[in-house]
Each structure stands twice: as structure tokens, then as C-alpha cells.
Amino acid sequence: MTAIRWPWRHAPTHHRQVLIRRIGRAGYAAYGAIHLLVAWLAVQIAFGGSDRSADAGGALATLAGAAFGRVLLAILTVGLLLLTLWRLAEAVWGEPGHGDHPGTKRRLTSIAQAICFAALTATTARTVLSDRAPSSGHSEQRATSTALSLPGGRFLVGAIGVGVVAVGIGMLCYGLLRRFERAMQLDRLGHRARRAVLAVGAVGHVAKGVAYGIVGVLLTISAVTYQPHHSRGLDQALRVLAGQPHGRVLLCLVAFGIGCFGVLCFVRARYQRR
């Protein structure tokens, strides 16, 4: 039997990388739009003007209620799907500009990111079909409750919480050390524009790192206290932050940082490294 030849697999490396890069750019634009919506919801929560969840689900629900919301959500779904495919392609063929044979660490990172983006794509697709987004906070609470009911579930949830805290610390360091600069061609920008992008990227990653850290701490508390209601994701973390002394100011600062991350996604969509 004649073997099947896959054109994608045997395509020239340059052409393959160009296609991967274009897919990634479209996906990052969609990802940036969601972060800007989450930032806006966080500001509304800070001033008591919104009862929507300040997470991806709340952002999608807000968009669903807007004029031409379903069309915009469909565009976001396609963009996030492309971002998922981009990460999968990187896991198989490598990141453009870093050789054709990615190491184990880079493969695992790309696969983990692809899983996260795939979940977000599925949530967006369900919103397109139902006109409302599922509550990610309640989904996370149910998942935590189920995990806690398993043998050794408290240790599992606690380990995941510690892992999320570690991810938050890693993202914070990634921003402070400006490691994100490696993924973009900022030499194409002027000096001032480049400094502005680096500042926006650092603030964005630090803010997301802080948010992830709070989520991880709340998840760990759920394991220690056996109370799954603490584990409602980003929305719960931001509301806990809002309840602290000077919480409104803190929440607005985090919202600003999340918005900066969204802006960085748009910049990366334009200046993604070849």
C-alpha cells in the first residue's frame, strides 16, 4: 500500500514557519481582546457597577450582550482556535526562529498552553451557540468539590494550588526580567516605542502573576479548609482583592495590568518574531 504523503509535514521549513507565525498573530489578537474585556469588568467591580464575573466567562457574556455580539464572538472563536493550533504546531515543529527541533521543555510548555487555549476556545464556541457564557467560577468550584471528594483529594487540590502559585511567581519574574521581549521583533520599533512596549509588557505580566498567585492561594485554602467555594478562579481572586483595605485602588491597578497584557498581545500579533 502506498504511504500517504502529508503536504504540511514535507513543506519547506520557511513556508511552514510563515504559516505558523500568521496563525499565532491572529490568535494573539483574539487573546488580547479578551484581556481588555476582563480588565474593563475588573474596573466595574471596583466601583460596584457590574455583577458579571471578572474572568473570561464574564468577558464573553458581556460581549454576547452587545450589538453584533455573536459575530464578534465567532471571530474570537476562530482566533482562539488558531492560537491553539499555533501552540500545537510549535510543540511539533518548533518555534520560528528557535530551530526545527524544540526541546522537551518547550514542547511541554506549548502543549500546556494549547490545552488552556483549547478550553477557552470551547467556552467561546458555547457562548456563540447559547448567547451566554458558562460560569467559569462555578465550573472551577464544582471541579474542586469533586476533587476534594476523591481519596487524597485534599493533597491533589493543595498541590495544584501550590503549582498555580508557582506559575504566578514565574510569570511575575518573566515580566520583570522582560523575557517576553525574545518573542518579538522590537528592533523594528523606535527607541521610545520599544521602551513603552517593554514597560507595558512588564506591568501586564506582573499583574497576571499577582492574579495567578491569589488564585493559587485561594485554591490551597480550599484544600486546607475543605471549602471548595474559595476556588472560583480569577473572579473570586479579584473580589477578594477588592475587599482588602484600599481594595478599590489595588483592583484598579491589577485591572490596568491585565489591560496592559491585552495591549501586549496586540503588539505581539504585529511584531511576532519570525
Side-chain angles (χ1 to χ4, degrees):
M1 181 180 295
T2 303
I4 299 175
R5 295 181 178 272
W6 298 99
W8 169 258
R9 183 177 180 182
H10 299 284
T13 301
H14 173 71
H15 293 163
R16 181 195 303 160
Q17 290 185 349
V18 168
L19 182 57
I20 291 174
R21 185 173 66 254
R22 289 177 178 175
I23 288 174
R25 285 176 172 174
Y28 261 105
Y31 197 46
I34 290 178
H35 276 81
L36 292 179
L37 283 171
V38 171
W40 170 241
L41 287 173
V43 171
Q44 289 185 308
I45 288 175
F47 291 94
S50 176
D51 57 354
R52 291 197 184 278
S53 298
D55 54 16
L60 297 175
T62 299
L63 192 58
F68 305 105
R70 178 172 290 190
V71 174
L72 295 175
L73 284 170
I75 295 173
L76 280 181
T77 302
V78 173
L80 292 170
L81 177 61
L82 292 175
L83 190 56
T84 304
L85 295 176
W86 176 52
R87 284 305 188 189
L88 288 175
E90 282 189 347
V92 176
W93 288 288
E95 185 176 351
H98 290 81
D100 295 331
H101 303 286
T104 302
K105 181 179 179 180
R106 188 171 294 143
R107 288 182 188 273
L108 293 176
T109 300
S110 296
I111 290 173
Q113 290 177 332
I115 293 173
C116 294
F117 291 138
L120 185 55
T121 302
T123 300
T124 311
R126 288 198 298 269
T127 307
V128 175
L129 298 176
S130 64
D131 280 339
R132 64 184 183 90
S135 174
S136 56
H138 287 93
S139 298
E140 291 162 359
Q141 182 177 334
R142 286 194 299 270
T144 303
S145 179
T146 301
L148 288 174
S149 66
L150 298 175
R154 296 180 72 174
F155 294 100
L156 174 62
V157 173
I160 294 174
V162 172
V164 174
V165 171
V167 170
I169 294 173
M171 183 166 287
L172 189 148
C173 295
Y174 190 81
L176 291 177
L177 296 175
R178 303 189 305 189
R179 295 282 180 83
F180 56 89
E181 182 181 4
R182 301 176 181 178
M184 297 181 289
Q185 291 181 305
L186 298 184
D187 54 329
R188 297 166 57 187
L189 296 174
H191 178 67
R192 290 185 178 179
R194 181 174 177 275
R195 289 185 60 183
V197 170
L198 292 178
V200 166
V203 171
H205 279 86
V206 168
K208 285 205 69 175
V210 169
Y212 272 110
I214 297 174
V215 170
V217 169
L218 292 175
L219 196 57
T220 305
I221 292 175
S222 294
V224 173
T225 62
Y226 209 78
Q227 295 178 345
H229 68 271
H230 289 295
S231 59
R232 293 186 59 182
L234 179 59
D235 176 63
Q236 179 73 9
L238 295 180
R239 292 183 187 276
V240 167
L241 191 62
Q244 304 305 309
H246 307 292
R248 178 177 294 180
V249 175
L250 294 174
L251 186 53
C252 285
L253 288 175
V254 172
F256 175 74
I258 293 174
C260 285
F261 189 90
V263 172
L264 181 68
C265 288
F266 283 102
V267 175
R268 186 164 181 177
R270 177 64 180 85
Y271 295 101
Q272 176 68 27
R273 184 171 292 280
R274 298 180 184 275

CSV table of all heavy atoms in Angstrom, one decimal, residues 102-140:
chain,number,residue,atom,x,y,z
A,102,PRO,N,12.4,21.5,18.7
A,102,PRO,CA,12.2,22.0,20.0
A,102,PRO,C,12.5,21.0,21.1
A,102,PRO,O,12.4,19.8,21.0
A,102,PRO,CB,10.7,22.4,20.1
A,102,PRO,CG,10.1,21.4,19.1
A,102,PRO,CD,11.1,21.2,18.0
A,103,GLY,N,13.1,21.5,22.2
A,103,GLY,CA,13.4,20.6,23.3
A,103,GLY,C,12.2,20.2,24.1
A,103,GLY,O,11.1,20.7,23.9
A,104,THR,N,12.4,19.3,25.0
A,104,THR,CA,11.3,18.7,25.8
A,104,THR,C,10.6,19.8,26.6
A,104,THR,O,9.3,19.8,26.6
A,104,THR,CB,11.8,17.6,26.7
A,104,THR,OG1,12.5,16.6,26.0
A,104,THR,CG2,10.6,17.0,27.5
A,105,LYS,N,11.3,20.7,27.2
A,105,LYS,CA,10.7,21.8,28.0
A,105,LYS,C,9.8,22.6,27.1
A,105,LYS,O,8.6,23.0,27.5
A,105,LYS,CB,11.7,22.6,28.7
A,105,LYS,CG,11.2,23.7,29.5
A,105,LYS,CD,12.3,24.5,30.2
A,105,LYS,CE,11.7,25.6,31.1
A,105,LYS,NZ,12.8,26.4,31.7
A,106,ARG,N,10.3,23.0,25.9
A,106,ARG,CA,9.5,23.9,25.0
A,106,ARG,C,8.3,23.1,24.5
A,106,ARG,O,7.2,23.7,24.4
A,106,ARG,CB,10.4,24.4,23.9
A,106,ARG,CG,9.7,25.4,23.0
A,106,ARG,CD,10.6,26.0,22.0
A,106,ARG,NE,11.7,26.8,22.7
A,106,ARG,CZ,12.9,26.9,22.4
A,106,ARG,NH1,13.3,26.2,21.3
A,106,ARG,NH2,13.8,27.6,23.0
A,107,ARG,N,8.4,21.9,24.2
A,107,ARG,CA,7.3,21.1,23.8
A,107,ARG,C,6.2,21.0,24.9
A,107,ARG,O,5.0,21.2,24.6
A,107,ARG,CB,7.7,19.6,23.4
A,107,ARG,CG,8.5,19.5,22.1
A,107,ARG,CD,8.8,18.0,21.9
A,107,ARG,NE,9.8,17.8,20.8
A,107,ARG,CZ,9.4,17.7,19.5
A,107,ARG,NH1,8.1,17.8,19.2
A,107,ARG,NH2,10.3,17.5,18.6
A,108,LEU,N,6.6,20.7,26.1
A,108,LEU,CA,5.6,20.6,27.2
A,108,LEU,C,4.9,21.9,27.4
A,108,LEU,O,3.7,22.0,27.7
A,108,LEU,CB,6.3,20.1,28.4
A,108,LEU,CG,6.8,18.6,28.4
A,108,LEU,CD1,7.6,18.3,29.7
A,108,LEU,CD2,5.7,17.7,28.2
A,109,THR,N,5.7,23.0,27.4
A,109,THR,CA,5.1,24.3,27.6
A,109,THR,C,4.1,24.6,26.5
A,109,THR,O,3.0,25.1,26.8
A,109,THR,CB,6.2,25.4,27.6
A,109,THR,OG1,7.1,25.2,28.6
A,109,THR,CG2,5.6,26.8,27.7
A,110,SER,N,4.4,24.4,25.2
A,110,SER,CA,3.5,24.6,24.1
A,110,SER,C,2.2,23.8,24.3
A,110,SER,O,1.1,24.2,24.0
A,110,SER,CB,4.2,24.3,22.8
A,110,SER,OG,5.2,25.2,22.6
A,111,ILE,N,2.4,22.5,24.7
A,111,ILE,CA,1.2,21.6,24.8
A,111,ILE,C,0.3,22.1,25.9
A,111,ILE,O,-0.9,22.1,25.8
A,111,ILE,CB,1.7,20.2,25.1
A,111,ILE,CG1,2.3,19.6,23.9
A,111,ILE,CG2,0.5,19.3,25.6
A,111,ILE,CD1,3.0,18.2,24.1
A,112,ALA,N,0.9,22.5,27.1
A,112,ALA,CA,0.1,23.0,28.2
A,112,ALA,C,-0.6,24.3,27.8
A,112,ALA,O,-1.8,24.5,28.1
A,112,ALA,CB,1.0,23.3,29.4
A,113,GLN,N,0.0,25.2,27.0
A,113,GLN,CA,-0.7,26.4,26.6
A,113,GLN,C,-1.8,26.0,25.6
A,113,GLN,O,-2.8,26.7,25.6
A,113,GLN,CB,0.3,27.3,26.0
A,113,GLN,CG,1.3,28.0,27.0
A,113,GLN,CD,2.3,28.8,26.4
A,113,GLN,OE1,2.7,28.6,25.2
A,113,GLN,NE2,2.8,29.8,27.1
A,114,ALA,N,-1.5,25.1,24.7
A,114,ALA,CA,-2.5,24.6,23.8
A,114,ALA,C,-3.8,24.1,24.5
A,114,ALA,O,-4.9,24.4,24.1
A,114,ALA,CB,-2.0,23.6,22.8
A,115,ILE,N,-3.6,23.4,25.6
A,115,ILE,CA,-4.7,22.9,26.3
A,115,ILE,C,-5.6,24.0,26.9
A,115,ILE,O,-6.8,24.0,26.9
A,115,ILE,CB,-4.3,21.9,27.4
A,115,ILE,CG1,-3.7,20.7,26.8
A,115,ILE,CG2,-5.4,21.6,28.4
A,115,ILE,CD1,-3.0,19.7,27.8
A,116,CYS,N,-4.9,25.0,27.5
A,116,CYS,CA,-5.6,26.2,28.1
A,116,CYS,C,-6.3,26.9,27.0
A,116,CYS,O,-7.5,27.3,27.2
A,116,CYS,CB,-4.6,27.1,28.7
A,116,CYS,SG,-3.8,26.4,30.2
A,117,PHE,N,-5.7,27.2,25.8
A,117,PHE,CA,-6.3,27.9,24.8
A,117,PHE,C,-7.5,27.1,24.2
A,117,PHE,O,-8.5,27.7,23.8
A,117,PHE,CB,-5.3,28.2,23.7
A,117,PHE,CG,-4.3,29.3,24.1
A,117,PHE,CD1,-3.0,29.1,23.7
A,117,PHE,CD2,-4.7,30.4,24.9
A,117,PHE,CE1,-2.0,30.1,24.1
A,117,PHE,CE2,-3.7,31.3,25.3
A,117,PHE,CZ,-2.4,31.2,24.9
A,118,ALA,N,-7.4,25.8,24.1
A,118,ALA,CA,-8.4,24.9,23.6
A,118,ALA,C,-9.7,25.0,24.5
A,118,ALA,O,-10.8,25.1,24.1
A,118,ALA,CB,-8.0,23.5,23.5
A,119,ALA,N,-9.4,25.1,25.9
A,119,ALA,CA,-10.6,25.2,26.8
A,119,ALA,C,-11.2,26.6,26.6
A,119,ALA,O,-12.5,26.6,26.6
A,119,ALA,CB,-10.1,25.1,28.2
A,120,LEU,N,-10.5,27.6,26.4
A,120,LEU,CA,-11.0,28.9,26.2
A,120,LEU,C,-11.8,29.0,24.9
A,120,LEU,O,-12.8,29.6,24.8
A,120,LEU,CB,-9.9,30.0,26.2
A,120,LEU,CG,-10.4,31.5,26.1
A,120,LEU,CD1,-11.4,31.8,27.2
A,120,LEU,CD2,-9.2,32.4,26.2
A,121,THR,N,-11.2,28.3,23.9
A,121,THR,CA,-11.9,28.2,22.6
A,121,THR,C,-13.3,27.5,22.7
A,121,THR,O,-14.3,28.0,22.1
A,121,THR,CB,-11.1,27.5,21.5
A,121,THR,OG1,-9.8,28.1,21.4
A,121,THR,CG2,-11.7,27.4,20.2
A,122,ALA,N,-13.3,26.4,23.5
A,122,ALA,CA,-14.6,25.7,23.7
A,122,ALA,C,-15.6,26.6,24.4
A,122,ALA,O,-16.8,26.6,24.0
A,122,ALA,CB,-14.3,24.4,24.4
A,123,THR,N,-15.1,27.4,25.4
A,123,THR,CA,-16.0,28.3,26.1
A,123,THR,C,-16.6,29.3,25.2
A,123,THR,O,-17.8,29.6,25.2
A,123,THR,CB,-15.3,28.9,27.3
A,123,THR,OG1,-14.8,27.9,28.2
A,123,THR,CG2,-16.2,29.9,28.0
A,124,THR,N,-15.7,29.9,24.3
A,124,THR,CA,-16.2,30.9,23.4
A,124,THR,C,-17.2,30.3,22.4
A,124,THR,O,-18.2,31.0,22.1
A,124,THR,CB,-15.0,31.5,22.7
A,124,THR,OG1,-14.0,31.9,23.6
A,124,THR,CG2,-15.4,32.8,21.9
A,125,ALA,N,-16.9,29.1,21.9
A,125,ALA,CA,-17.8,28.5,21.0
A,125,ALA,C,-19.2,28.2,21.6
A,125,ALA,O,-20.2,28.4,20.9
A,125,ALA,CB,-17.2,27.2,20.4
A,126,ARG,N,-19.2,27.8,22.8
A,126,ARG,CA,-20.5,27.5,23.5
A,126,ARG,C,-21.3,28.8,23.7
A,126,ARG,O,-22.5,28.9,23.6
A,126,ARG,CB,-20.3,26.9,24.9
A,126,ARG,CG,-19.8,25.4,24.8
A,126,ARG,CD,-20.1,24.7,26.1
A,126,ARG,NE,-19.3,25.3,27.2
A,126,ARG,CZ,-18.0,24.9,27.5
A,126,ARG,NH1,-17.4,24.0,26.8
A,126,ARG,NH2,-17.4,25.5,28.5
A,127,THR,N,-20.5,29.9,23.9
A,127,THR,CA,-21.2,31.2,24.0
A,127,THR,C,-21.8,31.7,22.7
A,127,THR,O,-22.9,32.2,22.7
A,127,THR,CB,-20.2,32.3,24.5
A,127,THR,OG1,-19.5,31.8,25.7
A,127,THR,CG2,-20.9,33.6,24.8
A,128,VAL,N,-21.2,31.4,21.6
A,128,VAL,CA,-21.7,31.7,20.3
A,128,VAL,C,-23.0,31.0,20.1
A,128,VAL,O,-24.0,31.5,19.6
A,128,VAL,CB,-20.7,31.4,19.2
A,128,VAL,CG1,-21.4,31.6,17.8
A,128,VAL,CG2,-19.5,32.2,19.3
A,129,LEU,N,-23.1,29.7,20.5
A,129,LEU,CA,-24.3,28.9,20.3
A,129,LEU,C,-25.4,29.2,21.3
A,129,LEU,O,-26.6,29.0,21.0
A,129,LEU,CB,-23.9,27.4,20.4
A,129,LEU,CG,-22.9,26.9,19.3
A,129,LEU,CD1,-22.5,25.5,19.6
A,129,LEU,CD2,-23.4,27.1,17.9
A,130,SER,N,-25.1,29.6,22.5
A,130,SER,CA,-26.1,29.8,23.5
A,130,SER,C,-26.4,31.3,23.9
A,130,SER,O,-27.3,31.5,24.7
A,130,SER,CB,-25.7,29.1,24.8
A,130,SER,OG,-24.5,29.6,25.4
A,131,ASP,N,-25.6,32.2,23.4
A,131,ASP,CA,-25.7,33.6,23.7
A,131,ASP,C,-25.3,34.0,25.1
A,131,ASP,O,-25.5,35.1,25.5
A,131,ASP,CB,-27.1,34.1,23.4
A,131,ASP,CG,-27.3,34.4,21.9
A,131,ASP,OD1,-26.3,34.6,21.2
A,131,ASP,OD2,-28.5,34.4,21.5
A,132,ARG,N,-24.8,33.0,25.8
A,132,ARG,CA,-24.3,33.3,27.2
A,132,ARG,C,-23.1,32.4,27.5
A,132,ARG,O,-23.1,31.2,27.1
A,132,ARG,CB,-25.4,33.2,28.2
A,132,ARG,CG,-25.9,31.8,28.4
A,132,ARG,CD,-27.1,31.8,29.4
A,132,ARG,NE,-27.6,30.5,29.6
A,132,ARG,CZ,-27.1,29.7,30.6
A,132,ARG,NH1,-26.1,30.1,31.3
A,132,ARG,NH2,-27.6,28.5,30.7
A,133,ALA,N,-22.2,32.9,28.3
A,133,ALA,CA,-21.0,32.1,28.6
A,133,ALA,C,-21.3,31.3,29.9
A,133,ALA,O,-21.9,31.8,30.8
A,133,ALA,CB,-19.8,33.0,28.8
A,134,PRO,N,-20.8,30.1,29.9
A,134,PRO,CA,-20.9,29.3,31.2
A,134,PRO,C,-20.1,30.0,32.3
A,134,PRO,O,-19.1,30.6,32.0
A,134,PRO,CB,-20.3,27.9,30.8
A,134,PRO,CG,-19.5,28.2,29.6
A,134,PRO,CD,-20.1,29.3,28.9
A,135,SER,N,-20.5,29.9,33.5
A,135,SER,CA,-19.8,30.5,34.6
A,135,SER,C,-18.6,29.7,34.9
A,135,SER,O,-18.6,28.6,35.5
A,135,SER,CB,-20.7,30.6,35.8
A,135,SER,OG,-20.0,31.0,37.0
A,136,SER,N,-17.4,30.2,34.6
A,136,SER,CA,-16.2,29.5,34.8
A,136,SER,C,-15.9,29.4,36.3
A,136,SER,O,-15.3,28.4,36.8
A,136,SER,CB,-15.0,30.2,34.1
A,136,SER,OG,-14.9,31.6,34.5
A,137,GLY,N,-16.3,30.4,37.1
A,137,GLY,CA,-16.1,30.3,38.5
A,137,GLY,C,-16.9,29.1,39.1
A,137,GLY,O,-16.3,28.4,39.9
A,138,HIS,N,-18.1,29.0,38.8
A,138,HIS,CA,-18.9,27.8,39.3
A,138,HIS,C,-18.3,26.5,38.8
A,138,HIS,O,-18.3,25.5,39.5
A,138,HIS,CB,-20.4,28.0,38.9
A,138,HIS,CG,-21.1,29.0,39.7
A,138,HIS,ND1,-21.2,30.3,39.3
A,138,HIS,CD2,-21.7,29.0,40.9
A,138,HIS,CE1,-21.9,31.0,40.2
A,138,HIS,NE2,-22.2,30.3,41.2
A,139,SER,N,-17.8,26.5,37.5
A,139,SER,CA,-17.2,25.3,37.0
A,139,SER,C,-16.0,24.9,37.8
A,139,SER,O,-15.8,23.7,38.1
A,139,SER,CB,-16.9,25.5,35.5
A,139,SER,OG,-18.0,25.7,34.8
A,140,GLU,N,-15.2,25.8,38.1
A,140,GLU,CA,-14.0,25.6,38.9
A,140,GLU,C,-14.3,25.1,40.3
A,140,GLU,O,-13.7,24.2,40.9
A,140,GLU,CB,-13.1,26.8,38.9
A,140,GLU,CG,-12.5,27.1,37.6
A,140,GLU,CD,-12.0,28.6,37.5
A,140,GLU,OE1,-12.1,29.3,38.5
A,140,GLU,OE2,-11.4,28.9,36.5
